[in-house]
Amino acid sequence: MINYTNILRQHNLKATPQRLAITDILHVQGHITIESLYEVMVKKFSSISLATIYKNINLMLENSFIQEVKIPHAKSVYEITKESHSHLACEKCGEIQDIIIDLDNILNEVAKTNTFKVNSSDLVLSGICKNCQ
Amino acid sequence: MINYTNILRQHNLKATPQRLAITDILHVQGHITIESLYEVMVKKFSSISLATIYKNINLMLENSFIQEVKIPHAKSVYEITKESHSHLACEKCGEIQDIIIDLDNILNEVAKTNTFKVNSSDLVLSGICKNCQ
DNA sequence: ACTTAAAGGATAATTATTATCTTTTAATAA
DNA sequence: TTATTAAAAGATAATAATTATCCTTTAAGT
Ligand SMILES: [Mn+2]
Ligand SMILES: [Mn+2]
Ligand SMILES: [Zn+2]
Ligand SMILES: [Zn+2]
């Protein structure tokens, strides 16, 4: 169990119980929509306001503690920022999985054209996951 | 100038002036947000309703005549469906460019793992375009 | 314990999108 | 052509998603 108290403080964020719960949920679940994050949080903090969820998600996004992942034909999910990686999105059950794909060759190709300086890449592969096949 | 009248009819959509204008704008502009599509349309049809924009965009999405492209940290853009391709998104001016990148190697790698059946891929490279460098 | 800025909760406001209803019109056939 | 009709447009209400505001509570530092 990671100590997110200090990590939050390093980002100049107070380590409130609500925030620790959000980070813990993100840590355990991996990828989650605003909607289901709220549902899970309500179980722990029956009177939590949806505004608190949004305010915290936005704060955490601002300092890159977390990231938004936009999924085709589905709602965005949020996750704790880690090494750059791609995603597999199951069109049937909606599950989002991480996958590490080496895009260096591709990025080098683009770099060669010298017409666009790439800073980051977002790749989502949509299809059917193991379970749903 | 492409004849979208018949193309629309092939999709079982009436070729209304509003729709022909939308398809023409999409054809000329390439990638456009709902917001700016509406702005452009208002110039041609001063009394057009925003609902008409949404209804048409949704209808055209349903039969895959057009596609949504989700862009990190920006609003979605829409474009006429064509061969599968990737996108370059300029973080400075917001311009979206098409780029054809061969992802076969990558998709084959994923296929090998036999744990996920890929149906489609969405790749967006964010960075700085030629003009903005 | 005391102080204080930050954060939470309640809720209003705003923005984005969809639904509903009436009027208009594109497509088709007499 | 004109008549018919289902589809589409336009106006606007309703809903959903997100943000702003305001007051209360609390984490963090002294
Ligand atoms: Mn991930
Ligand atoms: Mn494109
Ligand atoms: Zn699945
Ligand atoms: Zn640019």
Side-chain angles (χ1 to χ4, degrees), chain A residues 73, chain B residues 22-23 25-38 53-54 56-62 65-71 74-82 85 87 96 98:
Chain A
H73 313 298
Chain B
I22 289 174
T23 52
I25 292 163
L26 285 168
H27 179 67
V28 172
Q29 297 247 146
H31 304 94
I32 194 166
T33 62
I34 293 275
E35 199 180 14
S36 36
L37 174 60
Y38 178 63
I53 303 288
Y54 277 107
N56 280 313
I57 287 292
N58 286 333
L59 269 175
M60 292 175 182
L61 281 172
E62 275 167 32
F65 177 62
I66 65 172
Q67 284 182 278
E68 178 179 5
V69 184
K70 292 193 175 186
I71 308 292
K75 291 185 181 165
S76 288
V77 294
Y78 298 83
E79 67 176 337
I80 293 174
T81 303
K82 42 192 168 178
H85 62 278
H87 291 98
I96 309 296
D98 286 342

Side-chain angles (χ1 to χ4, degrees), chain A residues 67-124:
Chain A
Q67 284 182 279
E68 178 180 3
V69 184
K70 292 192 174 186
I71 308 291
H73 313 298
K75 291 184 182 166
S76 288
V77 294
Y78 299 83
E79 66 176 338
I80 293 174
T81 302
K82 42 191 169 178
E83 334 75 71
S84 173
H85 61 278
S86 300
H87 291 97
L88 301 174
C90 180
E91 294 165 337
K92 202 158 184 183
C93 69
E95 170 149 297
I96 309 295
Q97 292 173 245
D98 286 342
I99 181 172
I100 292 183
I101 296 179
D102 182 13
L103 297 174
D104 286 352
N105 294 335
I106 283 171
L107 300 186
N108 286 336
E109 284 301 313
V110 177
K112 272 188 204 161
T113 71
N114 222 39
T115 183
F116 191 92
K117 182 172 179 326
V118 176
N119 289 331
S120 63
S121 53
D122 288 86
L123 173 61
V124 180

Side-chain angles (χ1 to χ4, degrees), chain A residues 9 14-17 50-51 54-55 58 75:
Chain A
R9 287 178 185 159
K14 283 189 182 177
T16 65
L50 189 51
Y54 276 107
K55 281 185 282 192
N58 286 333
K75 291 184 182 166

Side-chain angles (χ1 to χ4, degrees), chain B residues 5 62 91:
Chain B
T5 301
E62 275 167 32
E91 293 165 338

